[in-house]
Amino acid sequence: MTEQVEQNWAEGILDILKEAVEGGTPGQGTAFLDGTAADGSGNHGLLATLEGLSAEQASQEVNGSTVAGHAAHTAFHMEVIVRWERDGDRGPFDWKGSFRPAQVDEETWQAVQKRVRRAYEELVAFARTQADQPANGDATGGLTGGVAHVTYHLGSIRQMAKAVGDGS
């Protein structure tokens, strides 16, 4: 019989955020995304979804918005969570402007994707500094709100990707 290690509150939440952003662990079950095959194919996390789109596709308007805009906004939101929780920065925040750039060239598209990855990594790093602290409403609310927000935009982006012809 194997001993089960208890997971702290932050790591439990971060597991779901990891699946949303990085996709499932190859060959293992997932909590809510389509499974990632053992060879790594079928990864439908945010980063893989963005990487599968060209700048032209990311810039194509679908119902008034673009994948590039959603990606920039998602990065901004993760950045704000860290600023809010770590630095006490209460804004104001330019939420409307956070959807820019809406149209991108290849270089800018690569920069937006890097920003998403960096914002995610910074959020994870910050959350891990809080893991040994007692769970409180501010920290759990901020982190679970971040998970909900990322997964909402992941769903939107995946639907938009179908409309712009990514083949999924």
Side-chain angles (χ1 to χ4, degrees):
M1 192 168 180
T2 60
E3 183 181 329
Q4 190 152 345
V5 177
E6 190 173 319
Q7 191 177 49
N8 69 51
W9 68 270
E11 290 298 330
I13 297 170
L14 288 174
D15 281 350
I16 303 301
L17 181 62
K18 179 179 189 259
E19 183 175 325
V21 176
E22 296 182 39
T25 302
Q28 295 186 12
T30 54
F32 68 96
L33 284 183
D34 304 334
T36 302
D39 67 359
S41 63
N43 179 341
H44 297 290
L46 180 61
L47 296 173
T49 300
L50 298 177
E51 288 169 7
L53 297 170
S54 68
E56 181 180 350
Q57 290 169 314
S59 297
Q60 188 175 331
E61 243 185 62
V62 178
N63 296 324
S65 61
T66 67
V67 169
H70 276 264
H73 172 76
T74 302
F76 181 78
H77 186 263
M78 290 187 282
E79 293 162 352
V80 165
I81 292 170
V82 173
R83 289 168 48 191
W84 183 280
E85 298 294 337
R86 182 190 65 202
D87 305 333
D89 181 354
R90 299 301 190 249
F93 303 109
D94 183 8
W95 293 106
K96 186 175 181 178
S98 71
F99 282 89
R100 290 188 297 267
Q103 275 73 39
V104 291
D105 58 20
E106 285 298 334
E107 183 178 336
T108 306
W109 180 227
Q110 292 303 312
V112 168
Q113 291 178 72
K114 286 178 184 173
R115 180 180 176 201
V116 170
R117 180 179 296 279
R118 185 176 58 252
Y120 163 66
E121 290 170 351
E122 289 175 5
L123 178 56
V124 169
F126 170 73
R128 287 194 171 130
T129 70
Q130 303 301 298
D132 292 334
Q133 304 297 319
N136 64 54
D138 213 30
T140 58
L143 195 52
T144 56
V147 171
H149 192 259
V150 168
T151 57
Y152 167 82
H153 285 283
L154 170 61
S156 294
I157 289 168
R158 286 180 63 185
Q159 292 305 307
M160 294 171 78
K162 290 177 182 182
V164 300
D166 80 335
S168 58

